[in-house]
Amino acid sequence: MARDPREARTLGLWTAAWLGALLLGLLLWLGDLSLQWPVLLVPVLWALVAARPRRHRYPYDDPGPGYRTDTVERPALRPPDRWR
């Protein structure tokens, strides 16, 4: 199901925030922050991807150039012994 760009951005940033909080909490509790800090780049990258600009695509928009609608279905393939 396609989402509105604002809704998708909000959901992505919300997920990145919770992932960052969870990873930071686990890292402080079980890990070594000075050694394992690169794991915190995952939610940062997630947030960057979520915050990128998006265009709204309606399901019935023009498919655009390169989309073919004149394709023909191939007949069902039959095993060689059924060709007669």
Side-chain angles (χ1 to χ4, degrees), residues 10-77:
T10 303
L11 181 61
L13 292 173
W14 182 84
T15 305
W18 275 103
L19 179 62
L22 179 70
L23 287 175
L24 182 61
L26 288 173
L27 191 58
L28 292 174
W29 180 37
L30 298 172
D32 181 10
L33 187 60
S34 64
L35 180 63
Q36 296 171 327
W37 64 268
V39 76
L40 297 176
L41 294 176
V42 172
V44 171
L45 292 174
W46 190 305
L48 289 174
V49 169
R52 77 187 188 279
R54 299 173 191 224
R55 293 182 301 167
H56 188 67
R57 297 251 340 164
Y58 293 100
Y60 301 110
D61 279 349
D62 178 32
Y67 183 78
R68 293 188 54 185
T69 58
D70 62 343
T71 57
V72 178
E73 294 182 15
R74 291 183 0 187
L77 298 176

